[in-house]
């Protein structure tokens, strides 16, 4: 008698139907937190290396050039968030071909935009220096720096898409490996080119350029499952009109939301300048606490993006709710830890960051605002992740518009009465309004799934 054929192995369940556990959330979040912790180190090394030249102009040139490029590239951060939401939903459904096609679309956008920046570099830099002028020496060195760094624009923008894909499929260890590789290489080349070869500001630029392109190569290798089949070059799918329209809509909403948010934070800095140099310096010190908060809480928001997106992909409402609640619990716990740490160690941290007695005193007087910051802002960070994963970007954009309007009214009322305390209160109102406006829309999101 012929032997019976073995039964076929059951197909793996789509990722969107996998159990949501605390371990799974931490597996996504922890590498992101560690990855973010490496970001300030690179900036410090860049500054420290050129500082060894013994001149002020190179330090200013590297700082100015880096800020100009960061501001330009930041506009295209929607590629990270939009890619995460769309890929998470495709991954949740087990739709590998669409996951790969989304990455291809995002990489093509990055290549086109980066190439346009390379071609338009002269008018682009002229406009940047018109807005943020420096001395002739600083501007000259900054132009040398930018003339090299701009050739990394396609890679730097494409890395947003690569990072978004890795987060969506829960490969955040890959994000950590990528960040460590890029920053480690950049630091090593900084030391060699500037201190060893004496290339100065241009050495810093070349080091970053090589790190960006090598980082993209490493990132594409980490994303190799997206290129395992022919889906990434299935041009009928890649250029499908309906899918392109959806991607454009999601990314457009995120870009508008980000512009509104950046405008609010920029106005905070500009308004602080009106209170004098001491208050401006104190606010700059205190903003570093909020930067640390954002880096620390990003991991849990990113976990929400991936898990909520996967749940939406398979239309699993209970899974969506569980992912949103459990990721937010971890985010709230981290926010509470940060608040306690800022309250206890804040004065010592302030003293470490500045030696000016008057700046120390002003920063300590306003320290309670940054202690409250993580607890006030946690809802806005977590709902951002939830709405991005669900690709409810229009609701997120509209919530941001309402929140910014409330922020403007709050500043108009509070600043004349309370000065810089009123400015900080306005920032808290902004983050609180962001959380509340999205919370009001969240039940509708659940019903839609």
């Amino acid at each position: 008698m012929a032997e019976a054929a073995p039964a076929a192995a059951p197909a793996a369940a789509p990722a969107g139907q996998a159990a949501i556990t605390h371990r799974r959330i931490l597996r996504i979040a922890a590498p992101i937190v560690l990855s973010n912790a490496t970001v300030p180190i690179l900036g410090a090394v860049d500054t420290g290396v050129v500082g060894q030249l013994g001149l002020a102009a190179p330090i200013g040139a590297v700082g100015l050039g880096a800020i100009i490029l960061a501001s330009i590239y930041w506009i295209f951060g929607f590629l990270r968030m939009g890619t995460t939401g769309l890929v998470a939903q495709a991954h949740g459904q087990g739709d590998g071909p669409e996951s790969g096609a989304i990455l291809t679309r995002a990489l093509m956008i990055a290549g086109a935009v980066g190439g346009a920046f390379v071609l338009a570099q002269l008018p682009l830099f002229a406009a940047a220096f018109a807005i943020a002028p420096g001395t002739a020496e600083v501007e000259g060195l900054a132009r040398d720096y930018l003339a090299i760094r701009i050739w990394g624009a396609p890679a730097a923008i494409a890395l947003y898409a690569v990072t978004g894909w890795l987060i969506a499929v829960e490969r955040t260890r890959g994000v950590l490996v990528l960040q460590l590789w890029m920053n480690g290489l950049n630091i090593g080349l900084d030391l060699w080119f500037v201190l060893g070869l004496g290339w100065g500001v241009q050495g810093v630029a070349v080091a970053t350029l090589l790190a960006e392109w090598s980082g993209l190569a490493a990132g594409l290798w980490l994303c190799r499952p997206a290129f395992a089949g022919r889906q990434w070059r299935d041009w009928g799918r890649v250029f499908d009109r309906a899918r392109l329209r959806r991607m454009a809509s999601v990314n457009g909403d995120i870009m508008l939301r980000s512009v509104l948010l950046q405008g609010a934070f920029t106005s905070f800095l500009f308004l602080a300048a009106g209170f004098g140099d001491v208050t401006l310096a104190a606010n700059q010190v205190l903003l570093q606490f909020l930067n640390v908060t954002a880096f620390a809480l990003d991991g849990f928001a990113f976990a929400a993006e991936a898990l909520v997106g996967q749940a939406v992909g398979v239309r699993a409402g209970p899974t969506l709710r569980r992912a949103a609640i459990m990721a937010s619990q971890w985010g709230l716990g981290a926010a509470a830890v940060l608040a306690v740490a800022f309250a206890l160690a804040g004065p010592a941290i302030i003293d470490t960051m500045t030696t000016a007695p008057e700046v120390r005193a002003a920063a300590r007087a306003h320290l309670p605002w940054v202690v409250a910051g993580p607890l006030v802002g946690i809802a806005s960070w977590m709902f951002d992740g939830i709405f991005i994963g669900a690709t409810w970007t229009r609701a997120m954009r509209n919530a941001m518009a309402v929140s910014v309007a409330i922020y403007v009214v709050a500043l108009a009322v509070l600043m004349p009465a309370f000065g810089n305390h009123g400015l900080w209160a306005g920032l808290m109102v902004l983050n609180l309004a962001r959380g509340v406006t999205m919370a009001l829309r969240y039940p509708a999101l659940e019903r839609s799934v």
Side-chain angles (χ1 to χ4, degrees):
M1 180 182 295
E3 186 177 357
Q17 294 177 356
I20 306 296
T21 64
H22 291 295
R23 178 176 293 183
R24 188 178 176 193
I25 290 170
L26 289 178
R27 192 171 61 241
I28 298 171
I32 295 297
V33 175
L34 294 174
S35 173
N36 284 346
T38 69
V39 174
I41 295 173
L42 178 58
V45 171
D46 279 349
T47 302
V49 168
V50 294
Q52 300 305 305
L53 301 177
L55 300 170
I59 298 175
V62 169
L64 183 60
I67 288 173
I68 289 172
L69 286 181
S71 299
I72 293 171
Y73 295 162
W74 170 86
I75 297 172
F76 297 92
F78 64 79
L79 274 181
R80 204 286 302 159
M81 293 179 275
T83 300
T84 299
L86 293 169
V87 171
Q89 292 181 20
H91 183 64
Q93 295 169 339
D95 190 351
E98 181 58 16
S99 173
I102 292 167
L103 180 58
T104 299
R105 294 184 204 114
L107 290 173
M108 292 175 70
I109 292 171
V113 170
F117 282 149
V118 171
L119 294 175
Q121 59 183 277
L122 294 180
L124 193 66
F125 297 157
F129 286 118
I131 297 171
T135 64
E137 184 179 8
V138 168
E139 186 172 321
L141 289 171
R143 286 184 181 276
D144 292 340
Y145 175 89
L146 290 169
I148 296 169
R149 280 283 315 272
I150 193 64
W151 291 93
I157 298 172
L159 281 165
Y160 285 130
V162 167
T163 302
W165 191 91
L166 290 171
I167 292 169
V169 299
E170 302 183 42
R171 293 188 167 210
T172 51
R173 288 184 185 177
V175 177
L176 175 59
V177 168
L178 189 57
Q179 198 70 48
L180 291 174
W181 164 256
M182 290 176 60
N183 290 347
L185 179 64
N186 201 338
I187 289 170
L189 293 178
D190 266 349
L191 297 172
W192 181 27
F193 293 159
V194 179
L195 302 183
L197 301 180
W199 289 2
V201 168
Q202 292 177 325
V204 175
V206 173
T208 306
L209 176 68
L210 294 176
E212 287 171 339
W213 279 106
S214 70
L216 177 60
L220 293 175
W221 183 81
L222 290 169
C223 294
R224 60 192 182 279
F227 308 112
R230 65 178 299 274
Q231 66 267 13
W232 66 273
R233 52 192 172 84
D234 179 355
W235 305 121
R237 175 186 286 272
V238 170
F239 293 108
D240 179 78
R241 193 167 297 179
R243 292 186 173 99
L244 284 173
R245 277 199 301 267
R246 186 183 179 213
M247 188 172 188
S249 174
V250 167
N251 287 334
D253 289 336
I254 294 173
M255 185 174 69
L256 289 173
R257 166 260 182 198
S258 298
V259 168
L260 287 168
L261 181 59
Q262 186 64 24
F265 283 134
T266 302
S267 71
F268 179 90
L269 295 173
F270 285 169
L271 291 169
F275 293 119
D277 291 347
V278 171
T279 299
L280 178 62
N283 282 0
Q284 188 62 34
V285 168
L286 293 175
L287 283 173
Q288 305 316 306
F289 288 78
L290 295 187
N291 288 338
V292 169
T293 300
F295 283 145
L297 298 182
D298 266 353
F300 303 106
F302 289 3
E305 290 181 27
L307 298 178
V308 167
Q310 292 173 20
V312 169
V314 292
R315 315 295 292 177
T319 304
L320 182 154
R321 183 184 300 113
R322 182 172 174 81
I325 291 174
M326 291 181 64
S328 297
Q329 287 172 339
W330 278 102
L332 181 59
V337 170
L338 287 170
V340 172
F342 292 165
L344 296 177
I349 295 172
I350 290 169
D351 290 349
T352 301
M353 296 179 70
T354 177
T355 58
E358 64 277 15
V359 176
R360 284 179 172 179
R364 289 186 181 201
H366 294 84
L367 181 61
W369 292 112
V370 297
V371 172
L375 297 174
V376 172
I378 182 61
S380 63
W381 278 301
M382 295 310 304
F383 276 120
D384 274 351
I386 292 166
F387 277 53
I388 288 169
T391 58
W392 266 48
T393 51
R394 179 175 297 180
M396 188 171 69
R397 178 202 67 192
N398 294 343
M400 181 62 71
V402 172
S403 300
V404 170
I406 294 172
Y407 167 68
V408 171
V409 173
L411 291 181
V413 173
L414 296 170
M415 280 183 58
F418 302 104
N420 193 49
H421 282 287
L423 179 59
W424 276 99
L427 187 61
M428 297 298 112
V429 167
L430 171 65
N431 284 333
L432 185 62
R434 289 170 57 200
V436 170
T437 50
M438 285 189 283
L440 293 174
R441 294 290 294 146
Y442 176 75
L445 189 160
E446 277 200 0
R447 289 194 298 272
S448 74
V449 177

